[in-house]
Amino acid sequence: MTQSVIVQVGQCGNQIGCCFWDLALREHAAVNQAVLIDMEEGVVNEILQGPLRDVFDSKQLITDISGSGNNWAVGHKVFGSRYQEEILEKLRKSAEHCDCLQCFFVIHSMGGGTGSGLGTYLLKVLEDEFPEVYRFVTSVYPSGEDDVITSPYNSILAMKELNEHADCVLPIDNQSLFDIISKIDLVVNSGKLGTTIKPKSLVTSSAGTFKKWQEKPFDAMNNIVANLLLSLTSSARFEGSLNMDLNEISMNLVPFPQLHYLVSSLTPLYTLADVNVPPRRLDQMFSDAFSKDHQLIRADPKHSLYLACALMVRGNVQISDLRRNIERLKPSLQFVSWNQEGWKTSLCSVPPVGHSHSLLALANNTCVKPTFVELRERFLRLYKKKAHLHHYLQIEGMEESCFTEAESSLSALIREYNQLDATKSMPVEDLPRLSVAV
Amino acid sequence: MSIVTVQLGQCGNQIGFEVFDALFIDSHCPQRLSSKRENEAYQASCKERFFSEEENGVPIARAVLVDMEPKVINQTLSKAAQSGRWKYGQHSSFCQKQGSGNNWAYGYSVHGPRHEESIRNLIQKEVEKCDSLSGFFIIMSMAGGTGSGLGAFVTQNLQDQYSNSLKMNQIIWPYGTGEVIVQNYNSVLTLSHLYRSSDALLVHENDAVHKICAKLMNIKQISFSDINQVLAHQLGSVFQPTYSAEGSFHYRRNPLVLEAGKSKIRTPVDSASGDLMENLVPHPEFKMLGVRNIPQMSENSLAYSTFTWAGLLKHLRQMLISNAKMEEGIDWQIRPPLPGLPNLSKMSLNKELHFNTSIANLLILRGKDVHSADLEGFKDPALYTSWLEPVNAFNVWRTQRAFSKYEKSAALVSNSQFLVKPLDMIVGKAWNMFASKAYVHQYTKFGIEEEDFLDSFALLEQVVASYCTL
């Protein structure tokens, strides 16, 4: 069995991380038929000595170091070097506890200072110290109405690091998460689903209680991301008729090293009480995975170009259900010419807590481009005026070239996506084959 | 004589379990139309072939289980143990922790050399348990990383170590869509390597078996378990015991060997026998074998059906020549070419395949009145290429003892053009992907260079061309 180490950086990263652990423990408790009454840290630590030892070996908490002032440079250059040894020490210890460490999951946001700066600094450290271990990064990108003025600077500087040192990035944005929550809220409150809804089953509920998102929207949103991470690792943790380990995600979804940004979607977002779900509803789960309303980032994969797509199914779903839906949905999707059947699939027998089945779709799709284009535009608007630049330049090690290099890096990435998009409507021709003497 | 099975990767292990289970259940289900003595002889022969005896009477499968991560092997071992019928050897499995990541290069270049000795020792131990070794089955998929890459490596090893024993790879051909994105690369690398070191590749296509489950077995929600069971049934119908030429109560000792008079003497042990492979695989360029069987249906339908040998064989023959993978939807319009005229239906990949030319066929008949079956249809020279005499191109094994729940059943192992189209498709798709260099960095990372890809493409293009011009 392989292990993953979660690295939660900054306020956002830690909040998501805690939701994640809550859910992970509940999931494994459900499987092991234990009852969890309390979620205090002491109990959590105790449990981590128990059944979860095999899977999630430890959590690394790098607490919010106040004073990064939403400044990537402080997070990256100052705290990076200051805390490197201490952090490395903790990381080495966790790695030692692992029987077979396969992956680091880094959770952070792009727009702030700590998560963005220190989080990406750690990527380089992980790459140097543990070159054989995968680095999967869950990055929360700033939304349109972000209240941190310098978030474009922070994000673009972080992007360069992600380009160069991450194996796989799962971009998320708050607005999309919020929209998903609102949709569920609407449907639940409209009473359309009647009394058959099990509140505990909602992907957004935590600790078994039905939270009101108006009061604590971030909790619900963080739960979605936590579910994403759990589903990603489900096939590695539980049995199934077609397993998919984390190394397979990278292998199948990253055709070229720099194109490693995956758009994700989770369905269904609610479930009903009936156990034997008729195929129509099951099929709806697949359809929803491709709708732009279910993506965890502002993106419309259906109208863009797929480089590759992975479908990770959990629960009572068989290969025929999977194939039927791929056949059904294929015609409405566009795949790049050299990967017309670019599907990677997995079947895990154990569904998430409270659901009978679920689906995580990961798409390497050019629909991620608009996010990057918008990011660059917001950056350029600030940078042209040199607004707030001095906060960064006064940090040792920071020069204007850091910014221009980061911008080129992003532009190069956007160009790659543009080139791919240009091939979209072109007819697919078979290339001439090797000719052999008979 | 015994067969040692090496099960590799998730697919290989999941299927391996179903195969042993099917073999066991069939041999322990006495057929009412056969005498007690007959049933016992069948059971004993099956046992010697596929199982070894343990002290407390529970048979142990002659198998080595290999996987690069532990979940599937653990499941497989416990499923067998829980069945109470048979089990796997306590120390017959080898696994690691990380898997191969669907990466052929990782399976072949990293896991292969790293675990070569351990795996070899396990196989050696299993071989030593056999009084006399007939050969090896290697069950593996092509789409993933372990079965495909490590499977290719292990087969090569077996070729070096046991060059006198037969190696037959049971290869699982992936679905056309929706399994693994790099499956075409993995398949191309696997096939080209196996072509150099295996004796025969018995191919099982997921798409074909899936259709059998849907159309013939009427299964609504098809799982991999269903698919694997159909596959196991096909294998069982070929490799369960059949009579030797000596007489009705004598099961042939060597399952992979033909009878006297048919071809050259090969093994010193059994001086009155020839070599199956020499007839089914007469030329190293043509190693792809497929299996078709009839009838295949759900238990419910079976209750209402009766069969005649004439009917079964007529369908099976047409399945062969029209390249149908199952007994439904057969194209009856396709006919063998008339003798004397140029073969107008020479295969062109741009047109629909018409007539499926065979190099060689092996027919296995099981059940009531098996000796009354008329086989002339299969001896027609028009079915075959001109290199072998039909008397050598066609062989038959029989037994009165019925197989599984079918009063009469027939299986056909053939070396024919049946795989040309699927192979061509895989090569074409892999080539398109390779031209863009997509994913190639994942392979070069572990020592498989672009040149290795090109060599593999060249070899397979050659195979396609050769089969086309039969």
Side-chain angles (χ1 to χ4, degrees):
Chain A
M1 181 83 81
T2 56
Q3 288 83 36
S4 308
V5 170
I6 315 286
V7 185
Q8 318 169 172
V9 193
Q11 179 178 32
C12 172
N14 275 291
Q15 286 181 350
I16 294 178
C18 287
C19 278
F20 169 76
W21 285 112
D22 176 31
L23 221 58
L25 290 168
R26 280 205 300 150
E27 190 165 85
H28 279 266
V31 170
N32 294 323
Q33 304 198 323
V35 178
L36 291 181
I37 302 161
D38 218 313
M39 295 309 293
E40 276 193 298
E41 183 144 1
V43 178
V44 165
N45 279 330
E46 230 175 79
I47 290 167
L48 281 177
Q49 303 308 314
L52 274 183
R53 244 168 74 228
D54 280 336
V55 183
F56 299 114
D57 215 78
S58 65
K59 51 177 187 170
Q60 281 294 85
L61 232 75
I62 302 167
T63 50
D64 189 13
I65 299 158
S66 59
S68 66
N70 284 326
N71 188 328
W72 183 92
V74 174
H76 196 91
K77 305 276 186 190
V78 178
F79 293 139
S81 49
R82 191 186 298 174
Y83 292 102
Q84 175 170 343
E85 265 321 301
E86 186 187 327
I87 293 169
L88 248 181
E89 192 49 49
K90 281 195 188 168
L91 286 172
R92 283 193 197 117
K93 270 227 189 80
S94 339
E96 273 163 38
H97 281 307
C98 293
D99 199 13
C100 179
L101 176 59
Q102 185 174 55
C103 184
F104 286 107
F105 280 105
V106 177
I107 315 177
H108 73 144
S109 71
M110 299 284 280
T114 306
S116 177
L118 184 55
T120 51
Y121 182 83
L122 287 175
L123 276 184
K124 185 80 178 71
V125 169
L126 291 173
E127 187 174 29
D128 290 337
E129 188 75 13
F130 306 95
E132 312 250 299
V133 180
Y134 286 92
R135 294 170 297 285
F136 274 56
V137 188
T138 307
S139 307
V140 181
Y141 280 68
S143 300
E145 315 89 41
D146 190 14
D147 53 4
V148 176
I149 301 176
T150 50
S151 68
Y153 285 161
N154 297 330
S155 304
I156 221 177
L157 290 163
M159 270 295 286
K160 177 163 181 290
E161 306 301 313
L162 290 182
N163 277 344
E164 292 171 15
H165 305 299
D167 287 311
C168 226
V169 178
L170 300 160
I172 317 266
D173 79 63
N174 280 339
Q175 190 61 50
S176 301
L177 294 179
F178 189 79
D179 289 342
I180 290 173
I181 305 292
S182 310
K183 242 186 356 127
I184 300 174
D185 202 18
L186 209 68
V187 178
V188 168
N189 289 338
S190 75
K192 244 196 238 176
L193 299 169
T195 50
T196 50
I197 250 219
K198 293 189 289 191
K200 219 184 304 204
S201 67
L202 288 166
V203 78
T204 56
S205 70
S206 66
T209 58
F210 191 75
K211 290 214 153 89
K212 295 232 180 288
W213 359 104
Q214 290 88 347
E215 292 165 27
K216 294 186 187 179
F218 279 113
D219 267 353
M221 288 155 65
N222 292 339
N223 251 292
I224 297 182
V225 183
N227 264 284
L228 165 67
L229 289 174
L230 272 185
S231 288
L232 207 57
T233 56
S234 59
S235 193
R237 292 178 288 129
F238 299 121
E239 60 175 37
S241 63
L242 192 58
N243 295 336
M244 178 156 141
D245 218 332
L246 292 167
N247 48 11
E248 295 173 41
I249 294 180
S250 180
M251 176 70 184
N252 284 286
L253 295 175
V254 183
F256 300 99
Q258 60 278 29
L259 298 176
H260 56 246
Y261 294 85
L262 305 178
V263 176
S264 50
S265 65
L266 277 172
T267 56
L269 300 173
Y270 50 81
T271 192
L272 305 176
D274 42 315
V275 175
N276 262 327
V277 181
R280 189 178 56 85
R281 190 136 310 136
L282 184 64
D283 288 9
Q284 187 63 42
M285 175 177 82
F286 283 92
S287 302
D288 286 341
F290 293 91
S291 100
K292 66 174 165 43
D293 297 332
H294 282 73
Q295 308 303 318
L296 300 192
I297 189 173
R298 290 294 190 119
D300 188 5
K302 265 189 166 159
H303 293 100
S304 305
L305 188 67
Y306 272 92
L307 301 181
C309 185
L311 296 176
M312 302 179 70
V313 189
R314 298 179 66 174
N316 183 19
V317 182
Q318 301 302 339
I319 185 68
S320 56
D321 301 312
L322 197 48
R323 288 175 47 78
R324 177 182 68 246
N325 279 286
I326 291 179
E327 290 304 308
R328 189 173 61 86
L329 294 164
K330 233 174 43 160
S332 60
L333 305 170
Q334 291 185 74
F335 275 80
V336 72
S337 66
W338 43 258
N339 206 3
Q340 293 275 289
E341 272 104 25
W343 297 92
K344 165 68 181 163
T345 55
S346 76
L347 295 165
C348 171
S349 323
V350 180
V353 175
H355 293 230
S356 63
H357 50 251
S358 74
L359 170 65
L360 163 64
L362 293 173
N364 192 337
N365 187 311
T366 57
C367 66
V368 77
K369 190 181 66 174
T371 302
F372 298 151
V373 170
E374 210 185 282
L375 193 62
R376 186 180 63 179
E377 275 165 20
R378 281 162 59 200
F379 164 78
L380 287 172
R381 253 180 272 141
L382 269 184
Y383 190 66
K384 281 209 172 82
K385 296 185 267 179
K386 305 285 188 236
H388 304 278
L389 213 52
H390 58 284
H391 292 301
Y392 293 80
L393 297 179
Q394 74 191 11
I395 306 291
E396 191 184 322
M398 285 298 289
E399 290 160 15
E400 282 209 31
S401 58
C402 296
F403 287 89
T404 49
E405 274 165 26
E407 196 268 333
S408 312
S409 173
L410 183 57
S411 296
L413 186 64
I414 293 174
R415 259 198 308 278
E416 297 254 7
Y417 282 113
N418 277 332
Q419 273 169 6
L420 285 164
D421 269 336
T423 68
K424 229 187 344 177
S425 330
M426 281 168 27
V428 180
E429 272 166 25
D430 279 335
L431 294 161
R433 301 259 291 268
L434 278 181
S435 54
V436 289
V438 174
Chain B
M1 292 183 80
S2 312
I3 296 179
V4 169
T5 299
V6 183
Q7 312 179 170
L8 290 140
Q10 174 166 28
C11 175
N13 280 292
Q14 284 178 184
I15 289 180
F17 168 77
E18 299 292 353
V19 171
F20 282 106
D21 212 31
L23 294 170
F24 186 90
I25 290 177
D26 167 57
S27 68
H28 277 70
C29 221
Q31 293 288 340
R32 17 172 216 95
L33 291 177
S34 298
S35 70
K36 181 159 179 276
R37 187 169 156 197
E38 171 110 61
N39 277 314
E40 281 173 4
Y42 186 83
Q43 197 180 99
S45 181
C46 168
K47 193 156 247 174
E48 192 204 346
R49 202 170 277 189
F50 296 108
F51 297 90
S52 61
E53 189 80 48
E54 157 125 306
E55 272 143 35
N56 54 10
V58 179
I60 300 186
R62 296 189 192 277
V64 173
L65 298 83
V66 177
D67 202 355
M68 293 297 104
E69 65 99 9
K71 291 197 300 289
V72 180
I73 285 191
N74 288 339
Q75 249 190 309
T76 308
L77 290 175
S78 65
K79 255 167 80 171
Q82 275 166 21
S83 73
R85 300 186 277 268
W86 58 277
K87 59 184 187 185
Y88 285 104
Q90 241 187 334
H91 306 288
S92 302
S93 63
F94 177 82
C95 68
Q96 292 294 285
K97 299 182 185 132
Q98 275 231 47
S100 305
N102 286 168
N103 193 326
W104 193 93
Y106 202 81
Y108 185 85
S109 307
V110 178
H111 284 310
R114 201 181 278 176
H115 309 300
E116 182 175 348
E117 208 180 309
S118 309
I119 297 175
R120 199 188 321 144
N121 288 341
L122 274 187
I123 297 178
Q124 175 84 13
K125 268 208 311 223
E126 202 56 51
V127 168
E128 280 163 14
K129 282 196 225 160
C130 305
D131 277 335
S132 117
L133 178 69
S134 170
F136 298 93
F137 280 169
I138 302 124
I139 312 183
M140 54 194 265
S141 72
M142 295 201 302
T146 300
S148 69
L150 183 58
F153 186 88
V154 167
T155 306
Q156 230 165 266
N157 261 16
L158 288 175
Q159 170 73 323
D160 295 334
Q161 266 223 303
Y162 301 94
S163 49
N164 280 330
S165 306
L166 202 124
K167 290 154 286 304
M168 179 183 270
N169 292 72
Q170 310 292 343
I171 298 187
I172 307 308
W173 200 270
Y175 285 103
T177 61
E179 267 190 57
V180 172
I181 292 177
V182 290
Q183 65 187 43
N184 297 318
Y185 279 171
N186 292 339
S187 302
V188 162
L189 290 164
T190 302
L191 286 169
S192 61
H193 278 76
L194 285 183
Y195 234 83
R196 296 178 201 130
S197 49
S198 176
D199 295 314
L201 310 177
L202 185 54
V203 173
H204 309 273
E205 297 170 75
N206 271 352
D207 278 305
V209 179
H210 190 107
K211 282 213 189 81
I212 291 176
C213 287
K215 300 265 163 64
L216 300 181
M217 312 291 284
N218 276 320
I219 303 174
K220 290 283 174 280
Q221 196 190 27
I222 301 167
S223 65
F224 272 117
S225 210
D226 298 317
I227 293 189
N228 296 343
Q229 278 165 11
V230 169
L231 226 150
H233 176 94
Q234 286 188 329
L235 276 177
S237 67
V238 174
F239 291 108
Q240 284 288 48
T242 51
Y243 295 144
S244 63
E246 275 113 69
S248 318
F249 294 119
H250 214 93
Y251 280 100
R252 71 181 64 240
R253 291 200 63 224
N254 191 336
L256 302 170
V257 150
L258 291 174
E259 288 310 301
K262 293 282 171 71
S263 49
K264 291 203 317 268
I265 290 172
R266 173 79 178 256
T267 61
V269 174
D270 198 347
S271 61
S273 58
D275 192 326
L276 169 71
M277 287 306 119
E278 249 179 53
N279 278 26
L280 265 186
V281 183
H283 187 291
E285 188 80 350
F286 300 89
K287 284 187 183 167
M288 315 275 259
L289 306 177
V291 59
R292 275 158 250 262
N293 64 333
I294 195 172
Q296 179 92 57
M297 53 181 55
S298 64
E299 197 114 20
N300 300 336
S301 314
L302 198 54
Y304 302 106
S305 316
T306 51
F307 306 103
T308 62
W309 285 117
L312 290 175
L313 292 177
K314 183 166 170 218
H315 277 75
L316 196 54
R317 180 177 182 272
Q318 193 62 24
M319 276 161 69
L320 171 67
I321 63 185
S322 67
N323 199 17
K325 307 282 163 82
M326 62 178 184
E327 70 215 59
E328 211 179 279
I330 301 175
D331 185 348
W332 290 94
Q333 302 298 322
I334 298 178
R335 295 251 176 278
L338 293 170
L341 293 174
N343 194 350
L344 294 167
S345 57
K346 271 247 188 304
M347 257 208 82
S348 161
L349 284 165
N350 296 328
K351 298 182 256 178
E352 274 300 308
L353 166 60
H354 288 295
F355 176 70
N356 183 33
T357 307
S358 301
I359 293 173
N361 283 303
L362 169 65
L363 185 63
I364 302 118
L365 303 175
R366 302 177 186 274
K368 186 172 163 202
D369 302 327
V370 77
H371 291 286
S372 70
D374 175 8
L375 308 170
E376 285 314 304
F378 286 94
K379 297 185 186 167
D380 182 357
L383 265 56
Y384 299 95
T385 63
S386 49
W387 338 315
L388 289 176
E389 294 294 319
V391 69
N392 290 324
F394 174 71
N395 288 286
V396 60
W397 290 348
R398 308 175 223 241
T399 172
Q400 292 263 68
R401 207 270 193 191
F403 177 67
S404 183
K405 42 189 169 54
Y406 298 98
E407 188 192 75
K408 299 188 182 77
S409 62
L412 184 68
V413 179
S414 47
N415 189 341
S416 70
Q417 295 173 313
F418 83 104
L419 253 193
V420 175
K421 232 162 150 212
L423 179 58
D424 184 65
M425 269 205 354
I426 282 193
V427 173
K429 288 185 198 166
W431 184 247
N432 274 344
M433 191 179 268
F434 184 68
S436 71
K437 297 288 175 279
Y439 300 102
V440 174
H441 71 284
Q442 309 268 18
Y443 292 84
T444 54
K445 223 190 324 186
F446 299 109
I448 298 297
E449 303 299 331
E450 290 192 17
E451 228 175 73
D452 298 308
F453 274 95
L454 286 171
D455 285 342
S456 298
F457 280 117
L459 193 151
L460 292 179
E461 294 282 11
Q462 186 73 59
V463 171
V464 169
S466 302
Y467 268 104
C468 271
T469 54
L470 274 183

